[in-house]
Amino acid sequence: MGRPMTRPTLVLVALLSLALTLPANDALAQAPSDEPATVEGDRVAEILAGMSRRQKVGQLFMSRIYGYRAKSPAPGAVQANQRYLGVQDADELFERFPVGSVVYFGYTGNLRRPEQVARLSNGIQRAALDAGTVPALISTDQEHGSVERLGPPAVRFPGSMALGATRDVDLAREAARVTGEDLRAVGINGDLAPVADVNSNPANPVIGVRSFGSRPGLVSDMTRAQIAGFEQDARIASTVKHFPGHGDTSIDSHVGLPIIRHDERSWWKLDAPPFMAAVDAGVDIVMTAHVKVPALDPSGRPATLSKPILTGVLREQLGFDGVVMTDSLAMEGVRTTYGDARVPVLALKAGADILADPPHLPSAFRAVLAAVDRGEISEPRLDQSVERVLRLKERLGLLDDPFVDVEDVADALGTAEDEAVARAVGESATTVLRDSKGWLPLPKRWSVLVTGLKPEGGGALVNELERAGHDVTTRWAGVESGTRKIQRSVRMAREHDMTIVITKGLGVFPAQRKLVQRLLQRGGRVIVVFAGSPYDVTWFPRANTQ
């Protein structure tokens, strides 16, 4: 056993919790026209001209669908589809409501195995074509870290804040490329990423580590790099979110309506730069935020329903002429004032093109169709949004061939080369906050106790320590450990040269804080690994100031 040390060292570790770029041109700086393209020989213009009004309205909607099969899903999925969509499966969905986009979620049962996802994607595309409409844009939230949909053998990366900690734009681009290629292999042609929010509020309950960081310049650089990886390298659509910025909120827009209280000058300095960088990089899609920003629109409407924000700022001032997508219309942040049938109409009038995940698709669809029929939404305005969606699909190659080869999926995911990229990101993201005693790297042949929470990467950490020549003992305490377990870990620490305590979510789980506190009070060599949020370090400020 080594001699006791009285001052601990903190180490921040980001564990694996596991493109078609539009050319810049002068036209991007101009306000978009309300008139759709009518160039002779233009395939998109020809498709648009041949569409019925109902088909056009359908292109504006992104719908969830329950089940892991496009046809004949399990009884529970059929019931959910009937409740939300008024249909049983994908075939009926496109026959009744010819939606332009589909979104996959974990809770809808869409994502089991890679080959199954590929078959589901092919089934959805076949249903769209059989119904006489164009292939679907299929998207999911593959941000990595705390928001991840497609599981192994797809490569898993640390979340955005860990990626931001690398300060390496080349790694950020490579991570996006690998992610995009994995998604494309299973028929998902759009990622609802990257997150371009600058997380300026450490207490943010919904963004946090989903952001690349708190510095606008860093977030801008990483956002630009990931757009290139998705769009240029992997050839899928990327979606920056959540405009005009969700980083300084204390309310989760899933359950309420946050207010961003930055004045206009502060907004341009803090929140706008990543979105400006995204527009400059030719991002395909910008997703709106369900937040109030009085400095940009004093009316009190959430940004998703705000014409001054979506048309005035995003379209006219930032020069974005790609696809504007709403965040989920099932979130409470956009449902607090207006009825569910009215919200999609207001979003279109504000400047949105894709209406994502309404709480009840039939009601939303009928409301938009009725608004067009009575002239509240003009035919040119409708055509403008449909054209943007169709041109995105054309760029992605969906109008030529929307299908994927299921037999190729197994070889496409989890390659050694892709795993090497993930390892490089994980190693580069590891950040040492304090090592005044020079304990890192650990001397060989030390006895090491690893305690605290066992994260997904805990086994890998133990293996690496053993390969480095250390004698490792594990005593996982868990997030809700009682006094006896904590005391046992503290007693065992006395018998080892070094104690590594892994934590995650110190603000939520007081037992973890108690364990760390007891270990630090005991003295000795202690390394604290924050495996979730770097903001957890604020719980132990004294230990971080040696």
Side-chain angles (χ1 to χ4, degrees):
M1 293 178 64
R3 210 170 33 180
M5 299 287 182
T6 58
R7 294 186 180 272
T9 290
L10 296 186
V11 179
L12 167 65
V13 177
L15 293 176
L16 297 182
S17 66
L18 346 158
L20 298 167
T21 298
L22 299 178
N25 55 57
D26 294 339
L28 288 178
Q30 302 172 5
S33 169
D34 282 340
E35 296 298 326
T38 55
V39 179
E40 185 176 354
D42 184 331
R43 176 166 58 166
V44 166
E46 292 173 357
I47 292 173
L48 182 61
M51 280 183 158
S52 68
R53 180 173 291 176
R54 188 177 187 83
Q55 288 174 324
K56 290 178 182 179
V57 169
Q59 287 300 300
L60 307 182
F61 282 94
M62 170 177 277
S63 174
R64 78 184 87 132
I65 188 165
Y66 291 84
Y68 65 91
R69 294 192 298 254
K71 290 185 178 183
S72 303
V78 170
Q79 293 172 2
N81 283 329
Q82 289 173 333
R83 183 169 55 252
Y84 164 65
L85 304 168
V87 302
Q88 295 192 65
D89 57 17
D91 282 354
E92 284 193 24
L93 170 63
F94 286 97
E95 288 172 2
R96 291 194 58 193
F97 310 105
V99 298
S101 307
V102 172
V103 58
Y104 290 164
F105 294 115
Y107 73 88
T108 52
N110 301 139
L111 304 156
R112 290 190 171 185
R113 301 175 306 278
E115 290 83 0
Q116 165 267 315
V117 178
R119 292 188 182 94
L120 173 62
S121 299
N122 284 345
I124 286 172
Q125 301 293 14
R126 175 54 58 197
L129 293 175
D130 288 347
T133 188
V134 297
L137 176 69
I138 301 176
S139 300
T140 196
D141 299 91
Q142 190 75 348
E143 299 174 15
H144 291 293
S146 61
V147 179
E148 184 178 70
R149 310 300 187 206
L150 189 64
V155 174
R156 309 177 73 185
F157 288 94
S160 295
M161 192 163 284
L163 191 56
T166 71
R167 303 297 196 270
D168 190 327
V169 294
D170 293 331
L171 276 179
R173 180 169 181 167
E174 275 292 278
R177 175 193 63 78
V178 172
T179 299
E181 289 178 351
D182 285 349
L183 294 176
R184 184 161 53 85
V186 297
I188 299 173
N189 41 62
D191 195 356
L192 303 179
V195 174
D197 302 312
V198 179
N199 196 69
S200 55
N201 185 349
N204 194 317
V206 64
I207 303 301
V209 294
R210 296 170 62 195
S211 165
F212 292 115
S214 60
R215 299 179 180 178
L218 172 65
V219 178
S220 298
D221 291 343
M222 304 302 271
T223 296
R224 187 184 293 108
Q226 290 232 296
I227 290 169
F230 286 127
E231 296 182 7
Q232 293 181 16
D233 303 335
R235 304 190 306 281
I236 71 167
S238 64
T239 304
V240 294
K241 55 191 186 184
H242 308 80
F243 186 82
H246 208 317
D248 190 9
T249 62
S250 57
I251 296 174
D252 183 346
S253 55
H254 290 84
V255 298
L257 179 56
I259 301 177
I260 305 295
R261 301 193 182 276
H262 299 171
D263 59 31
E264 187 172 1
R265 182 178 180 181
S266 297
W267 180 82
W268 281 102
K269 183 178 180 180
L270 179 64
D271 300 295
F275 294 101
M276 296 169 66
V279 172
D280 183 63
V283 68
D284 284 322
I285 304 171
V286 173
M287 179 182 286
T288 69
H290 304 325
V291 297
K292 291 182 184 181
V293 189
L296 302 182
D297 182 359
S299 73
R301 284 189 173 185
T304 296
L305 310 181
S306 169
K307 189 169 184 177
I309 293 176
L310 298 191
T311 299
V313 178
L314 180 57
R315 294 279 190 212
E316 296 172 358
Q317 295 188 55
L318 269 61
F320 180 64
D321 197 29
V323 173
V324 174
M325 176 190 294
T326 72
D327 206 343
S328 170
L329 298 183
M331 294 166 59
E332 288 300 317
V334 79
R335 302 174 70 189
T336 55
T337 303
Y338 307 97
D340 289 340
R342 188 62 183 158
V343 165
V345 175
L346 294 176
L348 283 173
K349 294 176 71 174
D353 301 305
I354 292 180
L355 307 166
D357 192 36
H360 186 247
L361 178 65
S363 299
F365 189 98
R366 288 192 294 265
V368 172
L369 187 60
V372 177
D373 288 342
R374 64 175 176 266
E376 183 178 3
I377 297 173
S378 69
E379 200 78 39
R381 173 67 188 90
L382 173 65
D383 287 353
Q384 180 190 47
S385 284
V386 176
E387 183 189 345
R388 288 194 183 107
V389 174
L390 293 177
R391 291 204 181 280
L392 173 57
K393 292 180 178 182
E394 182 181 45
R395 287 196 298 275
L396 296 175
L398 297 178
L399 302 184
D400 297 313
D401 181 10
F403 300 102
V404 295
D405 191 335
V406 178
E407 300 301 321
D408 291 342
V409 171
D411 293 333
L413 271 60
T415 66
E417 293 80 4
D418 291 349
E419 292 287 355
V421 176
R423 283 195 299 273
V425 172
E427 291 171 2
S428 184
T430 302
T431 303
V432 179
L433 295 182
R434 184 71 59 177
D435 184 24
S436 62
K437 298 296 183 180
W439 293 339
L440 297 177
L442 300 182
K444 290 185 178 179
R445 292 181 295 279
W446 265 11
S447 63
V448 179
L449 172 67
V450 180
T451 188
L453 175 71
K454 183 179 182 181
E456 291 186 49
L461 172 62
V462 171
N463 291 338
E464 288 298 321
L465 288 169
E466 290 177 340
R467 272 197 288 268
H470 303 294
D471 180 15
V472 181
T473 302
T474 59
R475 179 67 184 179
W476 304 116
V479 296
E480 298 287 3
S481 296
T483 302
R484 288 185 179 180
K485 282 190 175 182
I486 291 173
Q487 290 175 340
R488 176 72 182 273
S489 293
V490 173
R491 284 198 301 271
M492 292 181 68
R494 298 191 182 100
E495 303 168 3
H496 293 80
D497 299 315
M498 169 65 71
T499 298
I500 298 175
V501 54
I502 301 175
T503 72
K504 185 175 182 180
L506 291 181
V508 180
F509 302 109
Q512 288 189 83
R513 300 199 300 271
K514 186 175 181 180
L515 172 61
V516 175
Q517 187 176 29
R518 291 290 304 279
L519 287 169
L520 295 178
Q521 288 173 344
R522 183 198 66 83
R525 301 184 183 95
V526 179
I527 294 177
V528 183
V529 178
F530 301 110
S533 169
Y535 301 118
D536 280 353
V537 72
T538 59
W539 287 98
F540 300 101
R542 291 183 180 179
N544 191 38
T545 56
Q546 59 175 324

